[in-house]
Amino acid sequence: MVNVTVLDDYQRVAREFGPWRRLPDEVDLRVITRHLTADEVVEAADDADALFVMREQTPLSAALLNRLPRLGLIVTKGMWNRAIDVDAATRLGITVTGTTSSSAATAELTWALILNVARRVSEGDRGMRGGEWSPVLGRELEGRTLGVVGLGAVGGRVARIGGAFGMDVVAWSQRMTADRAADAGARAVSKEELFRHADIVTLHVQLSSRTRGLVGAAELASMRETAYLINTARGGLVDETALIDALRAGRLAGAGLDVYSREPLPADHPFRALGNAVLTPHLGYLTEEGYRRHFEEGVENLAQWLRGQPVRVIGTPSGVVARRPSPQARSL
């Protein structure tokens, strides 16, 4: 048998969206619909030949991978996953593959959060459900300044939509150029100017040693009291303690957050008690279209690996067969 384990299928879509019938009858599929600790992963997947994971949900460290002796293939959503020790996997002969993704989903969620905080949609909804009729006072976006940190695939989309709303769009990143900003309909400015003048600051850079804690106490203190911070990128970009302090003290009008340093967000986390924070549970990539693409391509990755011809390989040259061969190769 070829044992395949899917982790973190919170939405229970793996069986529906994955074309598993295209695989040999010998494939045994197991789907885990809750988050597991490292020890629970070992218990659930100790005999797994292939592992399907969501991006940055379950950390696959070198120590954990060493405890999965049969594992030969990892399929992750997206073409990078910082929760996987790809170097360790490569050393162990485990093939790591990814699936393609669209920048549209996260860009659209970013605008859902921007519109929510600006027009106080969640606050109005809570009042209505509580039997009240007390319309809340929102703010128009036209003529205001949108500060976009990072103009990659997602940030560029967000910036262009900001222009359609009639906003003055400014942008900054550590490698920003005037031409790159202009291509997205934005003006390149310094980091200090962006945080000081933007009415809405939205983050769209990858998390790395250079960007961890990019938004700290100093940046938050420089923002207007009427400004909002939006983060649909990675929780580690923000000093969360400093953000909580700023929101509690009213030094910031509010925040729209989809990502957190610790996920799932603990039930007693201070963010949950803040009335001026709109929170979503890492929905940026969660769309029906995205999941269908992930599981269709993931099943293709698995089928090609079983044939000894892995595709969409991360961390090792395309076409290189890992030291841990597929079950078919092991049976020869």
PDB file of all heavy atoms in Angstrom, residues 1 21 26 29 33 50 62 69 71 91 97 114 126 130-131 135 137 151 202 244 274 314 326 331:
ATOM      1  N   MET A   1       0.828  -1.204   0.000  1.00  0.00           N
ATOM      2  CA  MET A   1       0.000   0.000   0.000  1.00  0.00           C
ATOM      3  C   MET A   1       0.860   1.252   0.000  1.00  0.00           C
ATOM      4  O   MET A   1       1.966   1.274   0.535  1.00  0.00           O
ATOM      5  CB  MET A   1      -0.915   0.022   1.235  1.00  0.00           C
ATOM      6  CG  MET A   1      -1.956  -1.070   1.258  1.00  0.00           C
ATOM      7  SD  MET A   1      -3.128  -0.954  -0.111  1.00  0.00           S
ATOM      8  CE  MET A   1      -3.940   0.589   0.247  1.00  0.00           C
ATOM      9  N   ARG A  21      -9.113   9.280  -7.466  1.00  0.00           N
ATOM     10  CA  ARG A  21      -9.405   8.068  -8.252  1.00  0.00           C
ATOM     11  C   ARG A  21      -8.452   7.886  -9.422  1.00  0.00           C
ATOM     12  O   ARG A  21      -8.402   6.806 -10.019  1.00  0.00           O
ATOM     13  CB  ARG A  21     -10.848   8.116  -8.759  1.00  0.00           C
ATOM     14  CG  ARG A  21     -11.894   8.013  -7.642  1.00  0.00           C
ATOM     15  CD  ARG A  21     -13.306   8.022  -8.187  1.00  0.00           C
ATOM     16  NE  ARG A  21     -14.297   7.915  -7.107  1.00  0.00           N
ATOM     17  CZ  ARG A  21     -15.599   7.925  -7.293  1.00  0.00           C
ATOM     18  NH1 ARG A  21     -16.098   8.037  -8.532  1.00  0.00           N
ATOM     19  NH2 ARG A  21     -16.418   7.827  -6.259  1.00  0.00           N
ATOM     20  N   GLU A  26      -3.876   0.960  -4.923  1.00  0.00           N
ATOM     21  CA  GLU A  26      -3.083   0.670  -3.733  1.00  0.00           C
ATOM     22  C   GLU A  26      -2.897   1.880  -2.828  1.00  0.00           C
ATOM     23  O   GLU A  26      -2.321   1.773  -1.749  1.00  0.00           O
ATOM     24  CB  GLU A  26      -1.700   0.117  -4.120  1.00  0.00           C
ATOM     25  CG  GLU A  26      -1.731  -1.242  -4.799  1.00  0.00           C
ATOM     26  CD  GLU A  26      -2.131  -1.158  -6.269  1.00  0.00           C
ATOM     27  OE1 GLU A  26      -2.130  -0.026  -6.817  1.00  0.00           O
ATOM     28  OE2 GLU A  26      -2.448  -2.209  -6.850  1.00  0.00           O
ATOM     29  N   LEU A  29      -5.726   6.690   1.530  1.00  0.00           N
ATOM     30  CA  LEU A  29      -5.788   8.102   1.884  1.00  0.00           C
ATOM     31  C   LEU A  29      -6.321   8.275   3.295  1.00  0.00           C
ATOM     32  O   LEU A  29      -7.381   7.754   3.643  1.00  0.00           O
ATOM     33  CB  LEU A  29      -6.702   8.851   0.903  1.00  0.00           C
ATOM     34  CG  LEU A  29      -6.912  10.342   1.173  1.00  0.00           C
ATOM     35  CD1 LEU A  29      -5.620  11.111   0.991  1.00  0.00           C
ATOM     36  CD2 LEU A  29      -8.000  10.884   0.247  1.00  0.00           C
ATOM     37  N   THR A  33      -8.415  16.358  10.090  1.00  0.00           N
ATOM     38  CA  THR A  33      -9.186  17.600   9.979  1.00  0.00           C
ATOM     39  C   THR A  33      -8.974  18.546  11.165  1.00  0.00           C
ATOM     40  O   THR A  33      -9.683  19.529  11.309  1.00  0.00           O
ATOM     41  CB  THR A  33     -10.691  17.292   9.857  1.00  0.00           C
ATOM     42  OG1 THR A  33     -11.113  16.536  11.000  1.00  0.00           O
ATOM     43  CG2 THR A  33     -10.965  16.507   8.587  1.00  0.00           C
ATOM     44  N   ALA A  50       3.628   9.581   1.732  1.00  0.00           N
ATOM     45  CA  ALA A  50       3.466  10.946   1.220  1.00  0.00           C
ATOM     46  C   ALA A  50       2.626  11.747   2.197  1.00  0.00           C
ATOM     47  O   ALA A  50       1.703  11.219   2.825  1.00  0.00           O
ATOM     48  CB  ALA A  50       2.811  10.938  -0.163  1.00  0.00           C
ATOM     49  N   ALA A  62      13.519  19.344  11.080  1.00  0.00           N
ATOM     50  CA  ALA A  62      14.431  18.223  10.847  1.00  0.00           C
ATOM     51  C   ALA A  62      14.168  17.110  11.847  1.00  0.00           C
ATOM     52  O   ALA A  62      14.163  15.921  11.499  1.00  0.00           O
ATOM     53  CB  ALA A  62      15.879  18.709  10.942  1.00  0.00           C
ATOM     54  N   PRO A  69      10.139   7.613   9.097  1.00  0.00           N
ATOM     55  CA  PRO A  69      11.112   6.845   8.312  1.00  0.00           C
ATOM     56  C   PRO A  69      10.659   6.454   6.915  1.00  0.00           C
ATOM     57  O   PRO A  69      11.496   6.247   6.036  1.00  0.00           O
ATOM     58  CB  PRO A  69      11.352   5.604   9.178  1.00  0.00           C
ATOM     59  CG  PRO A  69      10.100   5.466  10.000  1.00  0.00           C
ATOM     60  CD  PRO A  69       9.667   6.873  10.284  1.00  0.00           C
ATOM     61  N   LEU A  71       8.572   8.322   5.008  1.00  0.00           N
ATOM     62  CA  LEU A  71       8.161   9.484   4.223  1.00  0.00           C
ATOM     63  C   LEU A  71       9.115   9.729   3.056  1.00  0.00           C
ATOM     64  O   LEU A  71      10.326   9.856   3.233  1.00  0.00           O
ATOM     65  CB  LEU A  71       8.102  10.725   5.108  1.00  0.00           C
ATOM     66  CG  LEU A  71       7.540  11.988   4.451  1.00  0.00           C
ATOM     67  CD1 LEU A  71       6.089  11.782   4.034  1.00  0.00           C
ATOM     68  CD2 LEU A  71       7.658  13.178   5.397  1.00  0.00           C
ATOM     69  N   ARG A  91      18.329  16.340   2.617  1.00  0.00           N
ATOM     70  CA  ARG A  91      19.373  15.459   3.161  1.00  0.00           C
ATOM     71  C   ARG A  91      18.827  14.071   3.467  1.00  0.00           C
ATOM     72  O   ARG A  91      19.536  13.068   3.321  1.00  0.00           O
ATOM     73  CB  ARG A  91      19.965  16.063   4.432  1.00  0.00           C
ATOM     74  CG  ARG A  91      20.826  17.294   4.210  1.00  0.00           C
ATOM     75  CD  ARG A  91      21.643  17.616   5.455  1.00  0.00           C
ATOM     76  NE  ARG A  91      20.813  17.855   6.631  1.00  0.00           N
ATOM     77  CZ  ARG A  91      20.319  19.039   6.956  1.00  0.00           C
ATOM     78  NH1 ARG A  91      20.579  20.111   6.190  1.00  0.00           N
ATOM     79  NH2 ARG A  91      19.588  19.185   8.044  1.00  0.00           N
ATOM     80  N   THR A  97       7.538  18.973  -2.873  1.00  0.00           N
ATOM     81  CA  THR A  97       6.925  19.570  -4.057  1.00  0.00           C
ATOM     82  C   THR A  97       5.848  20.566  -3.633  1.00  0.00           C
ATOM     83  O   THR A  97       5.337  20.515  -2.516  1.00  0.00           O
ATOM     84  CB  THR A  97       6.286  18.501  -4.968  1.00  0.00           C
ATOM     85  OG1 THR A  97       5.145  17.932  -4.300  1.00  0.00           O
ATOM     86  CG2 THR A  97       7.281  17.401  -5.312  1.00  0.00           C
ATOM     87  N   ILE A 114      -9.794  46.011   4.522  1.00  0.00           N
ATOM     88  CA  ILE A 114      -9.720  47.473   4.434  1.00  0.00           C
ATOM     89  C   ILE A 114     -11.119  48.079   4.476  1.00  0.00           C
ATOM     90  O   ILE A 114     -11.393  49.034   5.223  1.00  0.00           O
ATOM     91  CB  ILE A 114      -8.976  47.910   3.158  1.00  0.00           C
ATOM     92  CG1 ILE A 114      -7.492  47.530   3.247  1.00  0.00           C
ATOM     93  CG2 ILE A 114      -9.127  49.412   2.928  1.00  0.00           C
ATOM     94  CD1 ILE A 114      -6.716  47.759   1.960  1.00  0.00           C
ATOM     95  N   ARG A 126     -22.453  43.245  14.462  1.00  0.00           N
ATOM     96  CA  ARG A 126     -22.645  42.827  15.854  1.00  0.00           C
ATOM     97  C   ARG A 126     -23.822  43.567  16.491  1.00  0.00           C
ATOM     98  O   ARG A 126     -24.617  42.972  17.231  1.00  0.00           O
ATOM     99  CB  ARG A 126     -21.369  43.077  16.664  1.00  0.00           C
ATOM    100  CG  ARG A 126     -20.233  42.116  16.342  1.00  0.00           C
ATOM    101  CD  ARG A 126     -19.133  42.214  17.386  1.00  0.00           C
ATOM    102  NE  ARG A 126     -18.518  43.534  17.427  1.00  0.00           N
ATOM    103  CZ  ARG A 126     -17.457  43.889  16.718  1.00  0.00           C
ATOM    104  NH1 ARG A 126     -16.894  43.004  15.897  1.00  0.00           N
ATOM    105  NH2 ARG A 126     -16.947  45.102  16.816  1.00  0.00           N
ATOM    106  N   GLY A 130     -27.408  42.019  17.884  1.00  0.00           N
ATOM    107  CA  GLY A 130     -27.759  42.229  19.280  1.00  0.00           C
ATOM    108  C   GLY A 130     -29.073  42.966  19.447  1.00  0.00           C
ATOM    109  O   GLY A 130     -29.440  43.362  20.565  1.00  0.00           O
ATOM    110  N   GLY A 131     -29.806  43.186  18.361  1.00  0.00           N
ATOM    111  CA  GLY A 131     -31.099  43.833  18.426  1.00  0.00           C
ATOM    112  C   GLY A 131     -31.054  45.340  18.346  1.00  0.00           C
ATOM    113  O   GLY A 131     -32.071  46.004  18.537  1.00  0.00           O
ATOM    114  N   PRO A 135     -26.602  52.978  13.560  1.00  0.00           N
ATOM    115  CA  PRO A 135     -25.636  53.059  12.461  1.00  0.00           C
ATOM    116  C   PRO A 135     -24.312  53.666  12.917  1.00  0.00           C
ATOM    117  O   PRO A 135     -24.277  54.657  13.649  1.00  0.00           O
ATOM    118  CB  PRO A 135     -26.337  53.958  11.446  1.00  0.00           C
ATOM    119  CG  PRO A 135     -27.796  53.797  11.751  1.00  0.00           C
ATOM    120  CD  PRO A 135     -27.867  53.636  13.236  1.00  0.00           C
ATOM    121  N   LEU A 137     -20.458  55.302  12.206  1.00  0.00           N
ATOM    122  CA  LEU A 137     -19.906  56.313  11.308  1.00  0.00           C
ATOM    123  C   LEU A 137     -18.609  55.790  10.705  1.00  0.00           C
ATOM    124  O   LEU A 137     -17.628  55.589  11.407  1.00  0.00           O
ATOM    125  CB  LEU A 137     -19.642  57.604  12.088  1.00  0.00           C
ATOM    126  CG  LEU A 137     -19.331  58.855  11.261  1.00  0.00           C
ATOM    127  CD1 LEU A 137     -20.525  59.232  10.400  1.00  0.00           C
ATOM    128  CD2 LEU A 137     -18.966  60.007  12.202  1.00  0.00           C
ATOM    129  N   LEU A 151       5.567  45.432  -3.102  1.00  0.00           N
ATOM    130  CA  LEU A 151       4.773  45.463  -4.336  1.00  0.00           C
ATOM    131  C   LEU A 151       5.031  44.223  -5.183  1.00  0.00           C
ATOM    132  O   LEU A 151       5.265  44.304  -6.375  1.00  0.00           O
ATOM    133  CB  LEU A 151       5.096  46.722  -5.150  1.00  0.00           C
ATOM    134  CG  LEU A 151       4.453  48.028  -4.702  1.00  0.00           C
ATOM    135  CD1 LEU A 151       4.868  49.161  -5.626  1.00  0.00           C
ATOM    136  CD2 LEU A 151       2.943  47.908  -4.664  1.00  0.00           C
ATOM    137  N   THR A 202      -0.803  48.594   4.623  1.00  0.00           N
ATOM    138  CA  THR A 202      -1.058  47.183   4.382  1.00  0.00           C
ATOM    139  C   THR A 202       0.249  46.481   4.017  1.00  0.00           C
ATOM    140  O   THR A 202       1.052  47.007   3.235  1.00  0.00           O
ATOM    141  CB  THR A 202      -2.132  46.995   3.285  1.00  0.00           C
ATOM    142  OG1 THR A 202      -2.356  45.603   3.057  1.00  0.00           O
ATOM    143  CG2 THR A 202      -1.749  47.669   1.982  1.00  0.00           C
ATOM    144  N   ILE A 244      -0.750  45.492  20.113  1.00  0.00           N
ATOM    145  CA  ILE A 244      -1.812  45.383  21.127  1.00  0.00           C
ATOM    146  C   ILE A 244      -1.819  46.619  22.013  1.00  0.00           C
ATOM    147  O   ILE A 244      -2.875  47.187  22.311  1.00  0.00           O
ATOM    148  CB  ILE A 244      -1.608  44.094  21.959  1.00  0.00           C
ATOM    149  CG1 ILE A 244      -1.898  42.858  21.090  1.00  0.00           C
ATOM    150  CG2 ILE A 244      -2.508  44.105  23.193  1.00  0.00           C
ATOM    151  CD1 ILE A 244      -1.423  41.559  21.685  1.00  0.00           C
ATOM    152  N   LEU A 274      -9.959  42.771  21.656  1.00  0.00           N
ATOM    153  CA  LEU A 274      -9.858  44.142  21.168  1.00  0.00           C
ATOM    154  C   LEU A 274     -11.022  44.472  20.235  1.00  0.00           C
ATOM    155  O   LEU A 274     -11.180  43.861  19.182  1.00  0.00           O
ATOM    156  CB  LEU A 274      -8.535  44.348  20.423  1.00  0.00           C
ATOM    157  CG  LEU A 274      -7.264  44.262  21.286  1.00  0.00           C
ATOM    158  CD1 LEU A 274      -6.024  44.261  20.403  1.00  0.00           C
ATOM    159  CD2 LEU A 274      -7.216  45.433  22.265  1.00  0.00           C
ATOM    160  N   ILE A 314      10.660  21.478  -4.924  1.00  0.00           N
ATOM    161  CA  ILE A 314      11.183  22.618  -4.174  1.00  0.00           C
ATOM    162  C   ILE A 314      12.480  22.188  -3.495  1.00  0.00           C
ATOM    163  O   ILE A 314      12.505  21.188  -2.781  1.00  0.00           O
ATOM    164  CB  ILE A 314      10.187  23.082  -3.096  1.00  0.00           C
ATOM    165  CG1 ILE A 314       8.863  23.493  -3.727  1.00  0.00           C
ATOM    166  CG2 ILE A 314      10.776  24.213  -2.258  1.00  0.00           C
ATOM    167  CD1 ILE A 314       7.776  23.765  -2.713  1.00  0.00           C
ATOM    168  N   SER A 326      10.040   5.924  -4.245  1.00  0.00           N
ATOM    169  CA  SER A 326       8.608   5.708  -4.138  1.00  0.00           C
ATOM    170  C   SER A 326       8.343   4.252  -3.770  1.00  0.00           C
ATOM    171  O   SER A 326       9.203   3.383  -3.924  1.00  0.00           O
ATOM    172  CB  SER A 326       7.930   6.022  -5.477  1.00  0.00           C
ATOM    173  OG  SER A 326       8.336   5.086  -6.445  1.00  0.00           O
ATOM    174  N   SER A 331       9.578  -1.691  -4.155  1.00  0.00           N
ATOM    175  CA  SER A 331       9.128  -3.072  -4.329  1.00  0.00           C
ATOM    176  C   SER A 331       9.908  -3.807  -5.404  1.00  0.00           C
ATOM    177  O   SER A 331       9.765  -5.018  -5.556  1.00  0.00           O
ATOM    178  CB  SER A 331       7.641  -3.078  -4.690  1.00  0.00           C
ATOM    179  OG  SER A 331       7.425  -2.523  -5.981  1.00  0.00           O
TER     180      SER A 331
END
